[in-house]
Amino acid sequence: MFHRSADTGRDAPGGPMLDRRAASGLLLSLCSLAFAPAQAFAQSGRFGPAHPFDWKRLVKMASDLAKKPYAAVPDSDNAAIDFEAFGALTYGNAQSLAGNVRLFPTARNVAPKPVKIHLVQGGQAREVVDTGGLFVGSADANTHADAAGFRVMSADGQTDWLAFLGASYYRTAGTSGQYGLSARGLSIDTGLDTPEEFPVFTQFWLENTGPDTARIHALLDSPSATGAYSFDCARSDASIVQDVKAKIFLRKDVRQLGIAAASSMFWYDQNGGKADWRPEIHDSDGLALRTGSGERIWRPLINPSRIRLDLFQDTDPKAFGLIQRDRDFDHYQDDGLFYDRRPSLWIEPQGNWGKGSVLLLEMPTVGETDDNVAMFWQPAKPAKAGDAMDFAYRLTWANTDPSIDAVAHCVDSFEGPATVAGLAARRPPEGIKRYVFDFKGPALAGLDRNSGVEAAVSVPSSAIVSTSAYPVVGREGVWRAVLDLREAEIGAEEFRFYLKRGNDALSETVIKVVKP
């Protein structure tokens, strides 16, 4: 299980579980405070000597580091003792770097390991060696803190829209200013029966490219791998886009290497047993895939009764991601954490990634403070010591669904006994369950009950009691598929289905888990 540290709900390895709801309330109150203006690059005493810097030099650093024994970065001696102390150092009147960057301080059980921060201008990099004034109250000679990460501020300096903090985690606030799921530079052995390894970004190089952009380079290190990373980030009204480039070097064999990894939280939705007064609680509600062959797949997330690892084999995937498709406030009723505003994350590989699998890991959870969902690409080729590999991909963080196109997509789902309308007092048929899915999209435009639309279901014929597909009265453009199935005859933990007309698929393929 990934514990969410209380800074912005980020995942962090180890440490006690913190109350993300209380933490978010504190953040909302603190973030309204004003911030001091940026300081000049050449501020006296702030920076170390200048050194040439570019992508090739960073790659060489990662390559050289991989040839040396791993040496973990020790925890900071100046870490904040708890989240309250962390917040006091972070939110308030402090100086910025590179025009729009504010630093996070190290904090016990949140992000205890310091990172090196460099600013880049004209191909020259200088390390920040004096953090005086960069944290709230740190201009005081008796107050000192080390940097654990950073956040990129909006033009008015009142909010942030991009943050790197803890291990190799990073995320954006989307277009609604609400953080949710996280991306990861690299995952190693996630979901296996052996301990997971958490690679760490140990150094960052920041370049001021404008008020709504950021150019970031990072050096990654871990017992099994090193890496050079670059992030070109741009913020617009429609989305936040990050073009990522990575060069990875392996020190050791890795059983399960995760590229373009992400983690999220799913506690329950409208089909799960409510454990809270709110109707639904989740950062993401489905995994969307666009395969190399062009198939669209939607796999609704679950809170399983046991650890579950699903593999979606593919060759040269076009895109995949964790999506928050349900954006109706009434479905959450949360006016503090605003789950309806959580961003979706859509990952588009650049170039050909070859054979591999998108892996989806789901773990049981009894609350919203744990990230119990992980997703990543695992290359089919075994990851061996001495290997070097290149990956490039685009991340789109949006509050609309980047996975939607002309094919109809699933907008809602329900399940329960196969009752007969108007006969509520009648006992439902034993062993028969009703699955209801609503779809919307251009592919269904202009069709009606007489158009020959039907549901194609991948279960034995003996499991099918009835299927139907029809436009929903009063909901323009929405179609409903109703499947009555004999549970004992399904014969698998899940089934697939989609809407079709003749031989033409009209919708994405939905994968429904029936035995979580």
Side-chain angles (χ1 to χ4, degrees):
M1 188 83 61
F2 307 106
H3 297 300
R4 290 178 177 250
S5 64
D7 60 295
T8 48
R10 174 170 311 283
D11 315 313
M17 189 165 59
L18 299 173
D19 188 333
R20 185 173 61 138
R21 187 173 181 80
S24 296
L26 178 60
L27 290 176
L28 287 172
S29 63
L30 291 174
C31 283
S32 62
L33 298 174
F35 301 105
Q39 300 298 301
F41 177 87
Q43 182 178 342
S44 176
R46 171 77 73 207
F47 303 98
H51 299 281
F53 178 81
D54 56 24
W55 173 250
K56 289 183 178 180
R57 287 180 170 85
L58 180 58
V59 169
K60 187 177 186 307
M61 288 177 63
S63 176
D64 291 345
L65 187 61
K67 298 169 187 174
K68 301 176 182 177
Y70 173 69
V73 176
D75 290 356
S76 171
D77 293 329
N78 300 297
I81 60 172
D82 54 25
F83 178 66
E84 184 176 354
F86 171 88
L89 286 168
T90 305
Y91 302 101
N93 190 23
Q95 298 167 13
S96 301
L97 291 169
N100 57 354
V101 173
R102 289 283 308 275
L103 298 183
F104 285 117
T106 52
R108 299 176 191 174
N109 302 323
V110 177
K113 296 190 179 300
V115 299
K116 293 182 178 181
I117 303 290
H118 310 258
L119 297 194
V120 179
Q121 276 188 348
Q124 298 290 309
R126 299 177 67 187
E127 182 183 351
V128 176
V129 295
D130 179 5
T131 61
L134 297 178
F135 300 104
V136 179
S138 63
D140 184 338
N142 297 318
T143 303
H144 180 73
D146 296 318
F150 63 91
R151 55 199 179 114
V152 180
M153 309 302 296
S154 57
D156 62 7
Q158 300 301 304
T159 58
D160 53 40
W161 56 272
L162 172 64
F164 283 72
L165 179 65
S168 67
Y169 290 93
Y170 58 97
R171 60 185 185 162
T172 86
T175 53
S176 294
Q178 188 70 52
Y179 284 101
L181 79 169
S182 299
R184 301 174 64 181
L186 193 68
S187 72
I188 293 179
D189 293 346
T190 302
L192 296 183
D193 54 1
T194 54
E196 180 174 356
E197 183 176 308
F198 289 88
V200 175
F201 286 138
T202 59
Q203 298 191 57
F204 293 98
W205 289 262
L206 314 177
E207 186 175 352
N208 184 358
T209 55
D212 289 314
T213 61
R215 179 168 297 137
I216 300 158
H217 289 84
L219 179 67
L220 179 138
D221 195 15
S222 83
S224 299
T226 67
Y229 285 75
S230 74
F231 304 86
D232 273 310
C233 314
R235 179 191 189 198
S236 70
D237 292 338
S239 63
I240 293 172
V241 173
Q242 294 179 292
D243 286 321
V244 184
K245 180 169 61 174
K247 179 84 173 184
I248 299 164
F249 301 91
L250 296 183
R251 280 192 176 104
K252 299 179 180 178
D253 294 353
V254 175
R255 288 176 59 193
Q256 193 152 276
L257 187 69
I259 307 299
S263 61
S264 190
M265 180 275 294
F266 182 92
W267 189 7
Y268 61 87
D269 63 7
Q270 70 276 10
N271 293 309
K274 283 179 58 178
D276 187 274
W277 65 269
R278 291 163 290 174
E280 300 184 38
I281 299 177
H282 48 79
D283 281 344
S284 308
D285 55 8
L287 168 69
L289 303 137
R290 190 173 298 168
T291 69
S293 64
E295 183 181 14
R296 275 70 167 168
I297 295 174
W298 176 249
R299 164 56 159 81
L301 296 179
I302 62 171
N303 181 0
S305 59
R306 53 183 171 79
I307 294 176
R308 182 184 178 96
L309 186 64
D310 288 357
L311 284 77
F312 302 86
Q313 293 184 339
D314 201 0
T315 301
D316 296 332
K318 289 184 171 62
F320 55 92
L322 292 171
I323 307 298
Q324 184 76 318
R325 193 169 272 185
D326 186 347
R327 300 206 163 268
D328 190 330
F329 173 82
D330 287 343
H331 293 178
Y332 303 93
Q333 288 295 330
D334 194 316
D335 57 354
L337 297 180
F338 297 102
Y339 287 106
D340 56 299
R341 301 180 186 176
R342 302 297 170 111
S344 297
L345 175 58
W346 191 232
I347 302 164
E348 297 172 279
Q350 307 296 299
N352 297 325
W353 281 16
K355 293 183 178 181
S357 301
V358 174
L359 273 69
L360 175 66
L361 171 69
E362 295 164 302
M363 295 173 285
T365 187
V366 294
E368 62 194 299
T369 56
D370 292 330
D371 269 4
N372 63 320
V373 176
M375 174 211 67
F376 51 89
W377 170 260
Q378 182 183 18
K381 182 182 177 183
K384 297 294 185 181
D387 285 353
M389 53 192 72
D390 295 274
F391 289 94
Y393 46 95
R394 168 167 288 186
L395 305 181
T396 299
W397 309 74
N399 288 80
T400 54
D401 187 344
S403 71
I404 292 175
D405 56 16
V407 173
H409 59 283
C410 183
V411 295
D412 225 336
S413 65
F414 310 93
E415 57 188 78
T419 54
V420 179
L423 298 176
R426 180 179 172 183
R427 179 176 294 178
E430 231 175 273
I432 299 176
K433 193 166 185 178
R434 176 163 296 170
Y435 298 93
V436 179
F437 301 89
D438 289 350
F439 290 87
K440 190 173 184 178
L444 296 169
L447 303 180
D448 57 28
R449 284 179 176 266
N450 300 315
S451 299
V453 178
E454 56 184 335
V457 190
S458 65
V459 297
S461 58
S462 60
I464 299 175
V465 177
S466 66
T467 67
S468 60
Y470 54 88
V472 179
V473 176
R475 295 186 67 194
E476 185 177 354
V478 177
W479 277 67
R480 175 161 291 172
V482 180
L483 316 175
D484 287 352
L485 304 178
R486 294 184 181 91
E487 291 187 276
E489 298 293 322
I490 293 176
E493 293 189 355
E494 62 189 31
F495 66 82
R496 295 184 173 217
F497 88 97
Y498 60 95
L499 296 181
K500 69 172 186 174
R501 186 186 188 200
N503 294 322
D504 296 329
L506 300 176
S507 76
E508 62 189 5
T509 299
V510 176
I511 301 178
K512 174 62 180 176
V513 176
V514 296
K515 296 179 181 178

